[in-house]
mmCIF file of all heavy atoms in Angstrom:
data_model
loop_
_atom_site.group_PDB
_atom_site.id
_atom_site.type_symbol
_atom_site.label_atom_id
_atom_site.label_comp_id
_atom_site.label_asym_id
_atom_site.label_seq_id
_atom_site.Cartn_x
_atom_site.Cartn_y
_atom_site.Cartn_z
ATOM 1 N N LEU A 756 38.795 12.418 13.773
ATOM 2 C CA LEU A 756 38.340 11.028 13.775
ATOM 3 C C LEU A 756 39.486 10.091 13.437
ATOM 4 O O LEU A 756 40.345 10.448 12.621
ATOM 5 C CB LEU A 756 37.327 10.823 12.635
ATOM 6 C CG LEU A 756 35.931 11.371 12.734
ATOM 7 C CD1 LEU A 756 35.217 11.134 11.418
ATOM 8 C CD2 LEU A 756 35.190 10.676 13.853
ATOM 9 N N GLY A 757 39.463 8.881 13.966
ATOM 10 C CA GLY A 757 40.417 7.862 13.533
ATOM 11 C C GLY A 757 40.125 7.466 12.093
ATOM 12 O O GLY A 757 38.960 7.409 11.679
ATOM 13 N N ASP A 758 41.198 7.183 11.332
ATOM 14 C CA ASP A 758 40.968 6.854 9.914
ATOM 15 C C ASP A 758 40.402 5.446 9.719
ATOM 16 O O ASP A 758 40.132 5.052 8.593
ATOM 17 C CB ASP A 758 42.234 7.087 9.060
ATOM 18 C CG ASP A 758 43.421 6.276 9.523
ATOM 19 O OD1 ASP A 758 43.272 5.455 10.448
ATOM 20 O OD2 ASP A 758 44.520 6.453 8.965
ATOM 21 N N GLU A 759 40.229 4.704 10.785
ATOM 22 C CA GLU A 759 39.532 3.420 10.705
ATOM 23 C C GLU A 759 38.188 3.473 11.435
ATOM 24 O O GLU A 759 37.572 2.444 11.699
ATOM 25 C CB GLU A 759 40.399 2.293 11.315
ATOM 26 C CG GLU A 759 41.687 2.020 10.555
ATOM 27 C CD GLU A 759 41.459 1.409 9.163
ATOM 28 O OE1 GLU A 759 40.324 1.006 8.860
ATOM 29 O OE2 GLU A 759 42.417 1.357 8.386
ATOM 30 N N SER A 760 37.757 4.663 11.783
ATOM 31 C CA SER A 760 36.547 4.761 12.619
ATOM 32 C C SER A 760 35.278 4.471 11.817
ATOM 33 O O SER A 760 35.216 4.710 10.610
ATOM 34 C CB SER A 760 36.447 6.152 13.258
ATOM 35 O OG SER A 760 36.260 7.128 12.260
ATOM 36 N N HIS A 761 34.279 3.988 12.521
ATOM 37 C CA HIS A 761 32.999 3.687 11.881
ATOM 38 C C HIS A 761 32.341 4.952 11.363
ATOM 39 O O HIS A 761 31.765 4.974 10.277
ATOM 40 C CB HIS A 761 32.080 2.975 12.881
ATOM 41 C CG HIS A 761 30.889 2.337 12.235
ATOM 42 N ND1 HIS A 761 29.730 3.031 11.968
ATOM 43 C CD2 HIS A 761 30.683 1.082 11.759
ATOM 44 C CE1 HIS A 761 28.855 2.219 11.378
ATOM 45 N NE2 HIS A 761 29.408 1.035 11.234
ATOM 46 N N ILE A 762 32.458 6.048 12.112
ATOM 47 C CA ILE A 762 31.825 7.306 11.666
ATOM 48 C C ILE A 762 32.435 7.728 10.332
ATOM 49 O O ILE A 762 31.736 8.183 9.425
ATOM 50 C CB ILE A 762 31.989 8.427 12.725
ATOM 51 C CG1 ILE A 762 31.288 8.040 14.026
ATOM 52 C CG2 ILE A 762 31.455 9.764 12.186
ATOM 53 C CD1 ILE A 762 31.430 9.064 15.152
ATOM 54 N N PHE A 763 33.728 7.534 10.171
ATOM 55 C CA PHE A 763 34.388 7.936 8.932
ATOM 56 C C PHE A 763 34.039 6.985 7.781
ATOM 57 O O PHE A 763 33.749 7.420 6.675
ATOM 58 C CB PHE A 763 35.902 7.991 9.148
ATOM 59 C CG PHE A 763 36.661 8.279 7.890
ATOM 60 C CD1 PHE A 763 36.466 9.476 7.203
ATOM 61 C CD2 PHE A 763 37.555 7.357 7.366
ATOM 62 C CE1 PHE A 763 37.159 9.746 6.033
ATOM 63 C CE2 PHE A 763 38.245 7.619 6.191
ATOM 64 C CZ PHE A 763 38.051 8.813 5.522
ATOM 65 N N TRP A 764 34.047 5.665 8.058
ATOM 66 C CA TRP A 764 33.890 4.685 6.985
ATOM 67 C C TRP A 764 32.435 4.399 6.633
ATOM 68 O O TRP A 764 32.099 4.232 5.467
ATOM 69 C CB TRP A 764 34.529 3.337 7.398
ATOM 70 C CG TRP A 764 35.973 3.249 7.086
ATOM 71 C CD1 TRP A 764 37.010 3.579 7.917
ATOM 72 C CD2 TRP A 764 36.577 2.776 5.880
ATOM 73 N NE1 TRP A 764 38.210 3.356 7.300
ATOM 74 C CE2 TRP A 764 37.970 2.853 6.039
ATOM 75 C CE3 TRP A 764 36.073 2.295 4.665
ATOM 76 C CZ2 TRP A 764 38.864 2.467 5.053
ATOM 77 C CZ3 TRP A 764 36.960 1.906 3.682
ATOM 78 C CH2 TRP A 764 38.334 1.995 3.875
ATOM 79 N N ASN A 765 31.606 4.241 7.643
ATOM 80 C CA ASN A 765 30.335 3.525 7.442
ATOM 81 C C ASN A 765 29.079 4.342 7.716
ATOM 82 O O ASN A 765 28.016 3.756 7.869
ATOM 83 C CB ASN A 765 30.278 2.298 8.371
ATOM 84 C CG ASN A 765 31.091 1.150 7.843
ATOM 85 O OD1 ASN A 765 32.306 1.268 7.792
ATOM 86 N ND2 ASN A 765 30.456 0.068 7.435
ATOM 87 N N THR A 780 40.735 13.193 9.511
ATOM 88 C CA THR A 780 41.090 11.855 9.996
ATOM 89 C C THR A 780 42.557 11.825 10.398
ATOM 90 O O THR A 780 43.406 12.435 9.743
ATOM 91 C CB THR A 780 40.841 10.774 8.934
ATOM 92 O OG1 THR A 780 41.515 11.130 7.748
ATOM 93 C CG2 THR A 780 39.364 10.593 8.674
ATOM 94 N N VAL A 781 42.823 11.085 11.465
ATOM 95 C CA VAL A 781 44.217 10.849 11.879
ATOM 96 C C VAL A 781 44.412 9.340 12.014
ATOM 97 O O VAL A 781 43.439 8.585 12.128
ATOM 98 C CB VAL A 781 44.575 11.575 13.198
ATOM 99 C CG1 VAL A 781 44.391 13.070 13.058
ATOM 100 C CG2 VAL A 781 43.779 11.036 14.372
ATOM 101 N N HIS A 782 45.657 8.910 12.010
ATOM 102 C CA HIS A 782 45.982 7.480 11.962
ATOM 103 C C HIS A 782 45.477 6.737 13.204
ATOM 104 O O HIS A 782 45.757 7.125 14.327
ATOM 105 C CB HIS A 782 47.500 7.318 11.842
ATOM 106 C CG HIS A 782 47.950 5.905 11.859
ATOM 107 N ND1 HIS A 782 47.630 5.018 10.854
ATOM 108 C CD2 HIS A 782 48.649 5.208 12.776
ATOM 109 C CE1 HIS A 782 48.131 3.838 11.139
ATOM 110 N NE2 HIS A 782 48.753 3.916 12.307
ATOM 111 N N ASN A 783 44.735 5.656 12.932
ATOM 112 C CA ASN A 783 44.343 4.735 14.017
ATOM 113 C C ASN A 783 45.430 3.681 14.177
ATOM 114 O O ASN A 783 45.826 3.040 13.199
ATOM 115 C CB ASN A 783 43.065 3.971 13.642
ATOM 116 C CG ASN A 783 41.826 4.494 14.300
ATOM 117 O OD1 ASN A 783 40.836 4.721 13.638
ATOM 118 N ND2 ASN A 783 41.844 4.694 15.600
ATOM 119 N N GLU A 784 45.898 3.497 15.387
ATOM 120 C CA GLU A 784 46.818 2.387 15.661
ATOM 121 C C GLU A 784 46.017 1.091 15.611
ATOM 122 O O GLU A 784 44.776 1.114 15.690
ATOM 123 C CB GLU A 784 47.441 2.551 17.058
ATOM 124 C CG GLU A 784 48.164 3.861 17.280
ATOM 125 C CD GLU A 784 49.421 4.012 16.430
ATOM 126 O OE1 GLU A 784 49.978 2.987 15.997
ATOM 127 O OE2 GLU A 784 49.828 5.164 16.184
ATOM 128 N N GLU A 785 46.734 -0.043 15.556
ATOM 129 C CA GLU A 785 46.031 -1.332 15.461
ATOM 130 C C GLU A 785 45.194 -1.633 16.704
ATOM 131 O O GLU A 785 44.283 -2.456 16.663
ATOM 132 C CB GLU A 785 47.041 -2.469 15.240
ATOM 133 C CG GLU A 785 47.486 -2.526 13.793
ATOM 134 C CD GLU A 785 48.438 -3.655 13.511
ATOM 135 O OE1 GLU A 785 48.669 -4.492 14.407
ATOM 136 O OE2 GLU A 785 48.961 -3.684 12.380
ATOM 137 N N GLY A 787 43.232 0.411 18.105
ATOM 138 C CA GLY A 787 42.038 1.265 18.116
ATOM 139 C C GLY A 787 42.287 2.663 18.656
ATOM 140 O O GLY A 787 41.409 3.521 18.575
ATOM 141 N N THR A 788 43.493 2.904 19.194
ATOM 142 C CA THR A 788 43.792 4.247 19.712
ATOM 143 C C THR A 788 44.297 5.140 18.587
ATOM 144 O O THR A 788 44.617 4.676 17.499
ATOM 145 C CB THR A 788 44.898 4.199 20.803
ATOM 146 O OG1 THR A 788 46.105 3.732 20.206
ATOM 147 C CG2 THR A 788 44.489 3.303 21.961
ATOM 148 N N MET A 789 44.360 6.433 18.886
ATOM 149 C CA MET A 789 45.116 7.380 18.055
ATOM 150 C C MET A 789 46.148 7.958 19.015
ATOM 151 O O MET A 789 45.806 8.234 20.177
ATOM 152 C CB MET A 789 44.198 8.503 17.561
ATOM 153 C CG MET A 789 43.036 8.018 16.727
ATOM 154 S SD MET A 789 41.799 9.327 16.503
ATOM 155 C CE MET A 789 40.745 9.101 17.916
ATOM 156 N N GLU A 814 36.257 5.384 19.528
ATOM 157 C CA GLU A 814 35.370 4.238 19.258
ATOM 158 C C GLU A 814 35.772 3.074 20.162
ATOM 159 O O GLU A 814 36.927 2.637 20.136
ATOM 160 C CB GLU A 814 35.513 3.848 17.785
ATOM 161 C CG GLU A 814 34.544 2.768 17.350
ATOM 162 C CD GLU A 814 34.638 2.527 15.837
ATOM 163 O OE1 GLU A 814 34.674 3.509 15.056
ATOM 164 O OE2 GLU A 814 34.678 1.348 15.451
ATOM 165 N N HIS A 817 36.638 -1.039 19.162
ATOM 166 C CA HIS A 817 36.920 -0.529 17.833
ATOM 167 C C HIS A 817 36.647 -1.602 16.795
ATOM 168 O O HIS A 817 37.333 -2.616 16.729
ATOM 169 C CB HIS A 817 38.371 -0.047 17.743
ATOM 170 C CG HIS A 817 38.551 0.909 16.625
ATOM 171 N ND1 HIS A 817 38.450 0.524 15.311
ATOM 172 C CD2 HIS A 817 38.746 2.247 16.612
ATOM 173 C CE1 HIS A 817 38.605 1.586 14.536
ATOM 174 N NE2 HIS A 817 38.782 2.645 15.295
ATOM 175 N N ASN A 818 35.624 -1.348 15.976
ATOM 176 C CA ASN A 818 35.141 -2.350 15.024
ATOM 177 C C ASN A 818 36.225 -2.791 14.048
ATOM 178 O O ASN A 818 36.622 -3.954 14.010
ATOM 179 C CB ASN A 818 33.925 -1.760 14.288
ATOM 180 C CG ASN A 818 33.191 -2.783 13.444
ATOM 181 O OD1 ASN A 818 33.713 -3.830 13.096
ATOM 182 N ND2 ASN A 818 31.967 -2.471 13.093
ATOM 183 N N ARG A 819 36.737 -1.860 13.253
ATOM 184 C CA ARG A 819 37.712 -2.247 12.208
ATOM 185 C C ARG A 819 39.058 -2.643 12.794
ATOM 186 O O ARG A 819 39.900 -3.194 12.084
ATOM 187 C CB ARG A 819 37.885 -1.105 11.197
ATOM 188 C CG ARG A 819 36.646 -0.874 10.337
ATOM 189 C CD ARG A 819 36.851 0.299 9.400
ATOM 190 N NE ARG A 819 37.897 0.033 8.427
ATOM 191 C CZ ARG A 819 37.677 -0.510 7.227
ATOM 192 N NH1 ARG A 819 36.466 -0.825 6.849
ATOM 193 N NH2 ARG A 819 38.679 -0.714 6.395
ATOM 194 N N CYS A 820 39.295 -2.353 14.056
ATOM 195 C CA CYS A 820 40.524 -2.812 14.717
ATOM 196 C C CYS A 820 40.226 -4.094 15.480
ATOM 197 O O CYS A 820 40.724 -4.311 16.599
ATOM 198 C CB CYS A 820 41.117 -1.729 15.604
ATOM 199 S SG CYS A 820 41.728 -0.328 14.661
ATOM 200 N N SER A 821 39.369 -4.934 14.909
ATOM 201 C CA SER A 821 39.094 -6.269 15.438
ATOM 202 C C SER A 821 38.556 -6.256 16.870
ATOM 203 O O SER A 821 38.900 -7.111 17.676
ATOM 204 C CB SER A 821 40.360 -7.137 15.333
ATOM 205 O OG SER A 821 39.988 -8.489 15.183
ATOM 206 N N ASP A 847 31.942 6.805 20.403
ATOM 207 C CA ASP A 847 31.089 5.827 19.714
ATOM 208 C C ASP A 847 31.280 4.509 20.461
ATOM 209 O O ASP A 847 32.205 3.753 20.191
ATOM 210 C CB ASP A 847 31.508 5.712 18.239
ATOM 211 C CG ASP A 847 30.724 4.620 17.508
ATOM 212 O OD1 ASP A 847 29.877 3.957 18.149
ATOM 213 O OD2 ASP A 847 30.964 4.439 16.298
ATOM 214 N N ILE A 963 38.988 -10.423 12.926
ATOM 215 C CA ILE A 963 39.329 -9.971 11.579
ATOM 216 C C ILE A 963 40.576 -10.716 11.113
ATOM 217 O O ILE A 963 41.519 -10.909 11.887
ATOM 218 C CB ILE A 963 39.524 -8.439 11.571
ATOM 219 C CG1 ILE A 963 38.166 -7.765 11.832
ATOM 220 C CG2 ILE A 963 40.092 -7.966 10.235
ATOM 221 C CD1 ILE A 963 38.163 -6.259 11.795
ATOM 222 N N ARG A 965 42.840 -12.298 7.275
ATOM 223 C CA ARG A 965 43.014 -12.322 5.821
ATOM 224 C C ARG A 965 43.267 -13.746 5.386
ATOM 225 O O ARG A 965 43.643 -14.580 6.214
ATOM 226 C CB ARG A 965 44.246 -11.493 5.408
ATOM 227 C CG ARG A 965 44.077 -10.017 5.548
ATOM 228 C CD ARG A 965 45.386 -9.299 5.157
ATOM 229 N NE ARG A 965 45.279 -7.885 5.475
ATOM 230 C CZ ARG A 965 44.752 -6.979 4.666
ATOM 231 N NH1 ARG A 965 44.306 -7.331 3.468
ATOM 232 N NH2 ARG A 965 44.685 -5.716 5.020
ATOM 233 N N TYR A 988 35.609 -6.248 4.938
ATOM 234 C CA TYR A 988 35.870 -4.824 4.771
ATOM 235 C C TYR A 988 36.615 -4.649 3.478
ATOM 236 O O TYR A 988 37.306 -5.546 3.028
ATOM 237 C CB TYR A 988 36.710 -4.303 5.935
ATOM 238 C CG TYR A 988 35.970 -4.234 7.231
ATOM 239 C CD1 TYR A 988 36.486 -4.828 8.370
ATOM 240 C CD2 TYR A 988 34.762 -3.571 7.318
ATOM 241 C CE1 TYR A 988 35.814 -4.756 9.569
ATOM 242 C CE2 TYR A 988 34.082 -3.496 8.512
ATOM 243 C CZ TYR A 988 34.618 -4.084 9.630
ATOM 244 O OH TYR A 988 33.954 -4.011 10.801
ATOM 245 N N TRP A 989 36.520 -3.510 2.953
ATOM 246 C CA TRP A 989 37.250 -3.169 1.747
ATOM 247 C C TRP A 989 38.735 -3.508 1.947
ATOM 248 O O TRP A 989 39.281 -3.311 3.025
ATOM 249 C CB TRP A 989 37.053 -1.668 1.505
ATOM 250 C CG TRP A 989 37.696 -1.177 0.275
ATOM 251 C CD1 TRP A 989 37.185 -1.241 -0.978
ATOM 252 C CD2 TRP A 989 38.960 -0.541 0.175
ATOM 253 N NE1 TRP A 989 38.073 -0.686 -1.859
ATOM 254 C CE2 TRP A 989 39.165 -0.249 -1.178
ATOM 255 C CE3 TRP A 989 39.951 -0.198 1.093
ATOM 256 C CZ2 TRP A 989 40.313 0.370 -1.637
ATOM 257 C CZ3 TRP A 989 41.094 0.419 0.646
ATOM 258 C CH2 TRP A 989 41.269 0.698 -0.721
ATOM 259 N N LEU A 992 40.000 -7.499 4.014
ATOM 260 C CA LEU A 992 39.877 -7.849 5.427
ATOM 261 C C LEU A 992 38.564 -8.597 5.617
ATOM 262 O O LEU A 992 37.509 -8.098 5.233
ATOM 263 C CB LEU A 992 39.855 -6.593 6.301
ATOM 264 C CG LEU A 992 41.167 -5.857 6.508
ATOM 265 C CD1 LEU A 992 40.930 -4.608 7.350
ATOM 266 C CD2 LEU A 992 42.179 -6.760 7.194
#
Side-chain angles (χ1 to χ4, degrees):
L756 286 174
D758 59 5
E759 295 292 349
S760 65
H761 194 275
I762 298 178
F763 175 62
W764 273 92
N765 282 67
T780 54
V781 300
H782 177 66
N783 258 131
E784 304 293 337
E785 281 182 7
T788 64
M789 300 167 271
E814 186 174 315
H817 201 292
N818 190 341
R819 291 178 65 91
C820 293
S821 209
D847 175 359
I963 292 183
R965 288 178 188 274
Y988 289 128
W989 182 83
L992 286 178

